[in-house]
Amino acid sequence: MHSVGPPPKDPLTEPGPWNSVAVGYDEVVFGQIPELTEAAIELLSADKEDTVLDVATGPGTLAVRLAPRVHRVVAIDFAEAMLERLRLHVMQKHLHNLEVKLMDGQELEFDNGSFDSAISLFGVFLFDDRKRALEELFRVVVPGGRVLISSWATLEQNTLFSAGMQAVRATLPNLPRPSGPLPTQIPEKCVAELEAVGFEQVRTQLFKSSVKFASVDEYWRGFERAAAPLALLKQKVGDAEYADVCTRVLAELRTRLGQGEISLDCAALLTLGEVPQI
């Protein structure tokens, strides 16, 4: 008899691709959509005396902005290069109440009820085992505390991301294509996943914004530097072929979007839940 092994692991759930784009991700994404970070912080509504956990913090896009408003932030990520970028922000901004730890968000190394609230800005939605990650957040947050998870809405609402990947797929038609919306792109499923592990008062909020670029070239330079899937593509095809792909993708983007200033949309689902009071 032939045994059936587990499906191949999604490489985006490993630290390697994120380590490879850490510098670009930090420089491009850190300040790109500040309104989104502010919306997440406002919805979490942490008090000034709270200790907050930030899971999959990356270069600290949210943690750095949250730290001055609360008692303490503990920011974790599994990609050491991302945390190196965060440590630079901590030093530059003298954030003495922001603690940085290398850690897997699916295996939190904290006692039960260690935090008043927790947040994951585009982290948990990519995890191999979202249920396990949500269970861990439920465990480490005090009764009555809040947990906020964000994920991107559908590609149709996110031309900021889909424009680049659609041009890549047009250039490389044999690349795998998504078969439909992910569970984390459907508000009802986001709510159901939090409720399944015990959260109450779960609700979603849709955030929408847009980002302007002086040209397609400016957009692609940033997208190419920050996108972990492109780091995987480069590793797969090699430097020379990857450079050729980028040239053809840029030509495709110019055809699709034109030569002048462009404005691209982004949309995110913010899902908030509360740990029940004892």
Side-chain angles (χ1 to χ4, degrees), residues 95-114:
L95 296 171
H96 303 295
N97 67 331
L98 205 172
E99 184 178 354
V100 180
K101 288 181 175 290
L102 182 68
M103 193 180 300
D104 183 349
Q106 296 164 117
E107 297 291 339
L108 297 178
E109 301 165 19
F110 303 110
D111 293 336
N112 295 352
S114 294

Side-chain angles (χ1 to χ4, degrees), residues 70 135 149:
V70 297
E135 289 172 341
I149 305 298

Side-chain angles (χ1 to χ4, degrees), residues 116-131:
D116 299 294
S117 58
I119 192 164
S120 179
L121 200 63
F122 308 110
V124 166
F125 88 114
L126 283 173
F127 285 7
D128 258 349
D129 190 344
R130 290 194 306 277
K131 183 174 184 291

Side-chain angles (χ1 to χ4, degrees), residues 158-220:
N158 279 299
T159 53
L160 180 63
F161 306 101
S162 63
M165 288 310 300
Q166 285 172 354
V168 172
R169 291 191 175 100
T171 303
L172 299 172
N174 292 327
L175 279 183
R177 296 170 182 269
S179 59
L182 300 171
T184 54
Q185 294 175 315
I186 302 170
E188 295 79 8
K189 291 190 176 181
C190 291
V191 170
E193 287 191 356
L194 265 70
E195 289 180 338
V197 300
F199 288 101
E200 297 181 344
Q201 306 296 321
V202 183
R203 58 192 184 276
T204 64
Q205 178 175 305
L206 181 64
F207 170 88
K208 289 185 177 182
S209 185
S210 61
V211 181
K212 291 184 178 181
F213 300 90
S215 66
V216 164
D217 296 62
E218 181 188 40
Y219 164 68
W220 177 249

